[in-house]
Amino acid sequence: MKEAKTAQRDAYSLILEAIDLGEFRPGDRLVESDLAERFGVSRTPIREALQRLETQQLLTRDGRSLIIASLDHNQMAELYVVRAELEGLAARLAAKHATEEETRVLRDMVENDRHLVDDPSALARANRRFHRQLHLASHNRFLMQQLTLVHQSMALMETTSLAVEGRGETALAEHDMIVRAIEERDEDAAQAALKDHISRAFMTRLKLDACALDG
């Protein structure tokens, strides 16, 4: 029984990670047998993982097939509203509760990520790590659970807003402001800086989608 639960959890995590990393994109069809072979597990935990992902609306039905879901404009807007509020709260709590070690890790991330501005994919991965570390620094498990769901849905977007020219450097400057507020234990400034960061990312996303429509 324990081995079966472990296999199910692993299958779920493996598929979710592949979606998060962009190996599976919105509209891609997921086939049990292909996934079982790819990840080296039996079809039963794959099937259970797919059912779980469908329940979480990360997968949708296309006839009898399961495909990676996509977000329409309204869903994207709703997601960014929720993300701004939750991430803003996480930054406020981090300014209050983060240890000196956690703060230094956030600072190191900002400095190290400056070398990635010319690589949008690497910077997007680093960006996810930064936000996860900030969530941990909030020291609120229930908030982290909700943010995990939000960031899973963020993976349903076709491209990263960091691919827009100049956005990488701007995003890192925004990360710098967030960390500076956390270092200074300024809860209001940390929350405001994080919410501004999400707002600017949303505006970039809207411009990116508008350009795609023109193309």
Side-chain angles (χ1 to χ4, degrees):
M1 180 67 71
K2 184 177 180 180
E3 290 181 358
K5 290 183 178 179
T6 299
Q8 180 182 352
R9 184 176 63 251
D10 288 347
Y12 171 81
S13 299
L14 288 167
I15 298 171
L16 192 60
E17 182 180 29
I19 295 172
D20 190 41
L21 293 175
E23 295 173 9
F24 297 142
R25 307 298 302 169
D28 286 352
R29 187 166 66 100
L30 299 187
V31 180
E32 282 183 22
S33 57
D34 293 344
L35 293 171
E37 182 178 356
R38 174 181 178 135
F39 297 124
V41 296
S42 69
R43 293 180 62 169
T44 297
I46 291 292
R47 185 179 306 115
E48 293 170 348
L50 293 177
Q51 290 172 349
R52 182 178 175 186
L53 290 165
E54 183 181 11
T55 299
Q56 294 175 337
Q57 298 184 338
L58 296 178
L59 302 181
T60 188
R61 290 278 173 182
D62 180 18
R64 298 183 62 183
S65 300
L66 279 173
I67 62 173
I68 305 293
S70 59
L71 300 176
D72 61 26
H73 176 82
N74 289 335
Q75 290 172 321
M76 181 177 68
E78 292 165 359
L79 183 60
Y80 269 101
V81 168
V82 172
R83 184 186 177 194
E85 294 301 323
L86 294 181
E87 293 254 23
L89 177 57
R92 169 177 284 277
L93 293 176
K96 183 176 183 179
H97 297 300
T99 65
E100 291 184 9
E101 292 81 4
E102 287 172 326
T103 303
R104 284 200 295 269
V105 167
L106 287 169
R107 170 56 62 195
D108 288 344
M109 285 182 167
V110 171
E111 299 305 322
N112 293 335
D113 292 349
R114 297 187 194 280
H115 304 293
L116 304 175
V117 291
D118 295 325
D119 187 342
S121 295
L123 190 58
R125 291 191 294 271
N127 180 65
R128 287 192 290 270
R129 290 193 295 270
F130 174 83
H131 282 273
R132 286 176 188 141
Q133 183 61 39
L134 191 147
H135 302 165
L136 289 169
S138 74
H139 291 268
N140 188 303
R141 71 189 70 181
F142 299 105
L143 177 58
M144 288 173 58
Q145 288 173 358
Q146 297 307 309
L147 281 166
T148 295
L149 294 176
V150 168
H151 277 263
Q152 286 175 357
S153 295
M154 294 293 295
L156 299 180
M157 295 182 183
E158 285 283 358
T159 57
T160 172
S161 61
L162 294 170
V164 174
E165 185 176 356
R167 178 55 193 163
E169 292 182 1
T170 304
L172 287 178
E174 292 161 10
H175 283 184
D176 179 76
M177 290 183 63
I178 295 165
V179 175
R180 189 177 307 168
I182 293 172
E183 291 169 335
E184 295 173 355
R185 301 295 181 183
D186 189 333
E187 298 174 33
D188 289 340
Q191 184 171 26
L194 200 299
K195 292 182 72 173
D196 180 68
H197 173 57
I198 301 303
S199 176
R200 290 175 182 273
F202 183 31
M203 288 190 291
T204 302
R205 170 67 58 183
L206 292 175
K207 292 176 183 178
L208 190 65
D209 287 355
C211 289
L213 288 175
D214 288 341

